[in-house]
Amino acid sequence: MQTSRTPEHDPRTLAGRTALVTGAASGIGLACAQALAAAGAHVHVVDKAADAAKSLAARLGGTAWVADLSVAEAVDGLPDDVDIVVNNAGLQHVAPVHEFPPDRFALIHRVMVEAPFRILRRTLPGMYERGWGRVVNISSVHGLRASPYKSAYVSAKHALEGLSKVVALEAAPHGVTSNCVSPGYVRTPLVEDQIADQARSHGISEQEVVSRVLLERSALKSLIEPGDVADAVLWLCGPGTAHVTGSSLTMDGGWTAH
């Protein structure tokens, strides 16, 4: 005998919702855009890679926005009438503090802190008016812990964690939640390029790079898949999470358990 399905079990539980995902053309952003679209949301695909963004939006039935998030005017031109914001876009630069280029430091903070602030500043009023919204900030284990030579990235992720908590406190009376997902190393094109480069420079296998270098502090010696991060994002946007806010959902393989 068939039983009726409740909305809580509907795989398209986000039908009628609109989501904005930054850095959506590859890696974690791509997986998040796909997961949200599969759950029924109309996805605004935001990326500076024009062809990839347009191709993905066409496949998902979403809308592509080609934008350089380091440019304030471009950020302020993104749609503000959305129910879900996934702040994912980021970049990396590795150098000791005394050699770190100030312009690169500023660029990383514009993309990873100022752009999320500008996006939320414009999208939160609509969420408040509708009485529902979900903010998910893709942070990192480096939003909770530090590593040498990554001053811009670590400080930006720490700032994003703080911004997320402030939004959680302000948005709580309006039915809007704000959380971070904080993964360790994820199998993205950027990380895979780093693995290949380090294997060549150290004269060791790529698997040794993963286990001995990238995952030295992780109890689980395997990279996280982008789809696993997207599943966490989707859970935070779905039913049953109305009281999950101001949190950092760690997916670090036990790194921060030390």
Side-chain angles (χ1 to χ4, degrees):
M1 183 179 76
Q2 278 193 327
T3 57
S4 61
R5 300 186 67 170
T6 64
E8 291 77 30
H9 298 97
D10 189 340
R12 292 182 61 80
T13 191
L14 295 179
R17 304 292 189 188
T18 302
L20 184 149
V21 182
T22 66
S26 66
I28 294 171
L30 169 61
C32 290
Q34 291 174 325
L36 292 167
H42 179 93
V43 179
H44 291 289
V45 176
V46 180
D47 207 289
K48 64 187 297 184
D51 291 344
K54 292 174 183 177
S55 175
L56 177 62
R59 295 199 306 272
L60 300 181
T63 306
W65 296 82
V66 181
D68 181 347
L69 298 186
S70 70
V71 179
E73 293 77 11
V75 179
D76 292 343
L78 296 174
D80 59 5
D81 188 21
V82 299
D83 303 297
I84 297 165
V85 169
V86 180
N87 286 309
N88 166 72
L91 65 158
Q92 179 64 279
H93 186 86
V94 177
V97 170
H98 66 282
E99 296 177 359
F100 210 101
D103 58 344
R104 195 69 175 173
F105 189 97
L107 171 66
I108 289 172
H109 276 252
R110 285 200 304 274
V111 172
M112 295 170 56
V113 184
E114 183 178 341
F117 159 75
R118 285 181 173 275
I119 289 169
L120 294 175
R121 180 177 179 273
R122 297 177 63 250
T123 56
L124 284 171
M127 296 183 195
Y128 292 171
E129 184 177 343
R130 292 185 292 276
W132 192 94
R134 296 291 182 265
V135 176
V136 185
N137 300 295
I138 305 301
S139 181
S140 164
V141 65
H142 283 117
L144 307 170
R145 298 289 188 272
S147 290
Y149 312 120
K150 297 181 179 180
S151 58
Y153 188 87
V154 169
S155 58
K157 289 300 189 184
H158 273 67
L160 184 63
E161 295 266 356
L163 175 64
S164 183
K165 290 178 173 64
V166 170
V167 172
L169 296 178
E170 294 183 5
H174 306 283
V176 177
T177 65
S178 175
N179 296 283
C180 286
V181 177
S182 305
Y185 284 100
V186 182
R187 192 186 305 278
T188 63
L190 180 63
V191 169
E192 290 185 323
D193 287 345
Q194 291 179 36
I195 293 170
D197 289 343
Q198 291 204 39
R200 285 191 295 269
S201 63
H202 293 295
I204 60 178
S205 71
E206 292 190 3
Q207 183 54 46
E208 286 178 297
V209 172
V210 172
S211 62
R212 288 170 46 190
V213 180
L214 299 186
L215 303 180
E216 178 186 4
R217 287 167 286 186
S218 175
L220 297 175
K221 302 300 183 183
S222 59
L223 295 175
I224 302 163
E225 298 299 329
D228 294 337
V229 181
D231 285 344
V233 171
L234 187 60
W235 177 73
L236 288 169
C237 295
T241 57
H243 285 80
V244 181
T245 195
S247 69
S248 297
L249 180 58
T250 56
M251 302 180 65
D252 61 7
W255 184 331
T256 53
H258 289 286

